[in-house]
Amino acid sequence: MEFLHYFSEVFTWANITILVLGTVGGLLLGATPGLSPTMAVALLIPFTFHMEPASSLVMLGAVYTATVAGGAVSGILVNIPGAPANIATIMDGYPMAKQGKAVQALHYCFISSFVGGFTGVLLLIFFTPPLADLALKFGPAELFWISIFGITIIASLGGGSVVKGLIAGTAGLWLSTIGYNPVLGEERFVFSEHLAGGIHIIAALIGLFAIPQVLTLVAQSRLYKDTLEFAELHSHGVWQSFIYNIKRIRALTIGTISGSIVGVIPGAGGQIAGLVAYDQTLKMSKDPSSFGKGNPDGVIAAESANNAMVGPSLVPLLTLGIPGSPTAAVLLGGLLINGLFPGPDLFTIHGAVTWTFIDSLLVGQVLMLVFGLLIARYSGFVAHIPNHTMAAAVIVLAIFGTYSVQNSVSDVWVMLALGVFMYYASRIGFSPAPLVLGLILGQITETNFLQGRLIAGDEAWSYFVSGGISQIVIALCIVSITYSIYNERKVIIRRREEDAAS
């Protein structure tokens, strides 16, 4: 129980002030499209040079956890995920907002984020050694099959049409190949100088979600979301949201377990955690047809998953120096700057710093919940912003967020081109979610496949299918594909029966 011994260090004036400011700032940064948790933590690294090691890690940890949850705010209110980790949240979060349940959706978001995040940090505290051993077992073969498993859920994200979901997902996989081969360095599909560096995920995310929203706002003459009944929302108290959220045991459990497992896997990230949790919750639901139309379980599962990922993603980082997520990779830089090197010494020689940092993550989850619920109370003001004002604000944020990633004008042009394309594609029933998922997973799949082939040489087939973890994930892929086919047949049969009855 060494972590209890250092709990009081979190509540020194310096550390608690930094923790509060980091949490509030992280929520605001997370709600800004394009400012992902990875970027937020990276921007703060220079400010830690002259800080105490414990205080600097407290600040970075607070910003990390808060931005993951804060990204759901813009996703729910304006259909633009603040970061890739919040892609799954908008599937049902934004439809809830359009039904006049924006505050309710944000309540569910922050409560489930707290449950998942708190559980994830407890796993970090009590199960670090066995989880570190598990992380070592994931090589290119295992990560390849994990990404293939993610690809199998693309069809279920197609906005009601499996065929359109597969087409959009395939387009995303193709987009992921533009640029240079990640292992061999070969140039592919670079038919414009703006594509020389490939398509950055943040540019694609903002373009596919933000620009169609801007064009839709411009095309409308009424006030933004003037159909929302926010007077009704304010009558739905926080306590009722707590009760409802805790009753959704299945969604919370699926989300927390999915996020915890994905968090340990090096390099996977919150976007995979959220999407896997959303897909599994949909498949286990008694009413899968309600997903994508404002089912609270979709928000609860996605947000509990991407926050449960935070704690376990630090396990391989602190023990082995292997980041479990892109943001954890940036945190590794924060450790090294302070002269802290991953391994057993972190928990012995530097135990005071390490345990103060981990304890601050627990306290940070509570602060994230409190300030998140306060933000939810005032979300109704978004409904009364005129279209032209909202459109102008979103386009400025979109361009700023895209350009700031790599200081590249090419990223801005790619973002705008993808946005215009998605605007017209969405009018004929295509969803941006499977396209983004294809883009994300395509890069992971290709990189690990090529690395695996280089490692295995002439024994590539045996290398990819012989491992125990690989075989388990292959079985999950088969089950996922089979279920998708079975579920689609059920939908077709039900529609035929309804047509016959009418």
Side-chain angles (χ1 to χ4, degrees), residues 206-216 395 398 415-416 419-420 423:
I206 294 175
L208 293 170
F209 285 98
I211 301 305
Q213 195 70 16
V214 169
L215 295 175
T216 301
I395 196 67
M415 179 270 292
L416 293 172
V420 172
Y423 171 71

Side-chain angles (χ1 to χ4, degrees), residues 130-217:
L131 289 176
D133 292 337
L134 177 64
L136 280 177
K137 296 179 181 178
F138 283 87
E142 289 76 17
L143 292 174
F144 168 77
W145 287 113
I146 288 286
S147 58
I148 291 295
F149 175 65
I151 289 172
T152 65
I153 73 175
I154 283 178
S156 63
L157 304 177
S161 171
V162 171
V163 174
K164 289 180 179 178
L166 289 173
I167 292 173
T170 304
L173 291 172
W174 172 71
L175 289 175
S176 73
T177 65
I178 294 176
Y180 289 93
N181 183 304
V183 175
L184 304 177
E186 298 172 340
E187 189 177 81
R188 299 147 333 159
F189 304 113
V190 181
F191 44 82
S192 168
E193 61 179 10
H194 297 300
L195 298 173
I199 296 179
H200 195 282
I201 182 57
I202 295 297
L205 184 70
I206 294 175
L208 293 170
F209 285 98
I211 301 305
Q213 195 70 16
V214 169
L215 295 175
T216 301
L217 289 173

Side-chain angles (χ1 to χ4, degrees), residues 460-471:
W461 174 258
S462 174
Y463 175 78
F464 278 101
V465 301
S466 60
I469 295 176
S470 293
Q471 291 171 354

Side-chain angles (χ1 to χ4, degrees), residues 2-7 9-10 15 52-58 61 121 124-125 128 314-315 317-319 335 338-362:
E2 194 173 5
F3 80 98
L4 291 175
H5 179 71
Y6 294 102
F7 224 94
E9 292 297 317
V10 180
N15 286 341
E52 291 292 323
S55 297
S56 67
L57 291 177
V58 166
V121 178
L124 169 64
I125 292 172
T128 292
L314 299 177
V315 171
L317 171 72
L318 297 176
T319 56
L335 286 172
N338 286 285
L340 305 173
F341 296 91
D345 286 352
L346 270 183
F347 295 89
T348 54
I349 298 175
H350 304 290
V353 174
T354 304
W355 286 116
T356 300
F357 166 57
I358 294 174
D359 289 343
S360 75
L361 294 176
L362 279 178

